[in-house]
Amino acid sequence: MIALASMLFLSLGDTVSGLVGSALENSNVRDRNEKWRIKPWPIVAVMLSACILIGYLSSSLTKLPIGVYFAGAVGATVADSVAIIIRRRGLDDNLTIPLFAGALMSAAAHVG
């Protein structure tokens, strides 16, 4: 169920974030040459809100508690909003969103 929620955050949350980012200037952080490459706050807020909503709506199917999908929403938002640079190249968020979301949901599920 964690994997399902992670993939929903990727497929739906990242889509919403991309749509908002396409309407805002300076939203492509992976091509900038700055030490910290973070998307504008409106995109961060939209991604977090979308993932929380996706988690809530899918909770009847996944049976995940609120804390678990909230942790996943935070992980997906961080992965979408902060560019991870390795050897001067940005890691694609299509990889990092489900990994971060899944890792934080797994941790939250084991704690709770």
Side-chain angles (χ1 to χ4, degrees):
M1 293 300 117
I2 287 174
L4 175 64
S6 296
M7 294 308 291
L8 287 172
F9 293 157
L10 170 63
S11 60
L12 301 175
D14 192 34
T15 300
V16 171
S17 170
L19 288 172
V20 171
S22 68
L24 295 177
E25 292 183 23
N26 298 322
S27 61
N28 185 3
V29 295
R30 283 159 182 77
D31 292 336
R32 286 191 224 152
N33 192 15
E34 300 170 351
K35 184 176 181 177
W36 291 100
R37 303 175 189 184
I38 301 172
K39 288 187 178 180
W41 289 110
I43 298 173
V44 175
V46 166
M47 178 66 172
L48 181 62
S49 301
C51 288
I52 290 171
L53 180 63
I54 292 162
Y56 175 75
L57 293 174
S58 67
S59 65
S60 62
L61 174 67
T62 63
K63 306 295 188 225
L64 294 174
I66 187 171
V68 173
Y69 68 75
F70 182 78
V74 169
T77 301
V78 169
D80 180 60
S81 303
V82 180
I84 299 172
I85 309 301
I86 299 175
R87 293 187 175 185
R88 294 184 295 242
R89 296 193 48 121
L91 232 81
D92 194 325
D93 63 357
N94 291 331
L95 171 69
T96 59
I97 288 172
L99 291 178
F100 280 36
L104 287 181
M105 283 192 285
S106 295
H110 288 294
V111 169

